[in-house]
Amino acid sequence: MCGGLTEEKQADEAVQNICDAMKPLAEQKTGRNFEVFTAKSYKTQLVAGTNYFIKKTFRMADIKCGRSSGVKDADEKIQKICDEVKCQVEEKTNETYEVFKAVQYKSQPVQGVNYAIRVHVGGDSYLLLRVWKKLPCYGGDAVLSSVQ
């Protein structure tokens, strides 16, 4: 029947292959990594092609939402986030920084990631930035929450 849904069926290898193909897109859209992404059952809908409605089980890999990580040394990814918010920091502090080097950070997975980043700004001076990095599905940009 065109447009109607079929009865629910147990997932087979073909449906699992669809899940496997969609996993990277789901991870990108949610900003999370899935350790398990297994098709359990499905329904189909015949339109100008076939829509699949797949029930699956999944388990996120190594993510503890809401818990902060320990202090880590900053890497290129963290420096890139700092570079992204540098103008926001300069506007908020009414300063211009010749040196703006990420040194250490903590992260907290939420709907995106909250970062506390220690930034060297020259001499003996450091700033503590609080930055929220949005999920890719919400633009993925970094927003300065506060600076000390």
Side-chain angles (χ1 to χ4, degrees):
M1 169 172 63
C2 193
L5 289 175
T6 64
E7 294 294 319
E8 190 167 325
K9 302 172 192 169
Q10 287 299 112
D12 56 18
E13 186 177 345
V15 173
Q16 183 59 50
N17 289 339
I18 293 169
C19 274
D20 293 343
M22 301 292 15
K23 181 182 174 196
L25 295 172
E27 290 176 332
Q28 180 182 11
K29 188 151 183 107
T30 62
R32 299 187 180 346
N33 292 321
F34 298 107
E35 187 176 305
V36 174
F37 204 72
T38 306
K40 291 295 180 190
S41 63
Y42 72 102
K43 294 180 181 183
T44 59
Q45 178 187 38
L46 185 60
V47 287
T50 304
N51 288 329
Y52 284 82
F53 299 86
I54 303 171
K55 288 184 181 177
K56 59 198 150 306
T57 59
F58 61 90
R59 182 172 67 234
M60 289 183 282
D62 298 65
I63 295 178
K64 296 178 178 110
C65 292
R67 299 180 74 186
S68 290
S69 70
V71 176
K72 299 177 184 175
D73 290 333
D75 55 17
E76 289 178 33
K77 174 183 158 191
I78 301 304
Q79 184 61 50
K80 186 175 177 183
I81 292 168
C82 287
D83 294 342
E84 193 175 337
V85 298
K86 183 179 180 190
C87 290
Q88 296 174 52
V89 172
E90 290 178 336
E91 186 177 308
K92 195 162 199 155
T93 61
N94 203 26
E95 298 281 339
T96 301
Y97 301 103
E98 295 297 319
V99 176
F100 203 75
K101 181 163 175 33
V103 179
Q104 295 176 317
Y105 74 101
K106 286 183 179 183
S107 62
Q108 177 190 29
V110 289
Q111 188 170 359
V113 180
N114 287 328
Y115 291 96
I117 308 170
R118 186 172 188 232
V119 178
H120 181 237
V121 291
D124 294 335
S125 299
Y126 293 84
L127 295 175
L128 178 61
L129 310 182
R130 303 256 182 224
V131 178
W132 174 44
K133 181 76 171 167
K134 296 179 183 180
L135 290 171
C137 60
Y138 296 115
D141 52 333
V143 178
L144 180 69
S145 302
S146 69
V147 58
Q148 297 175 340

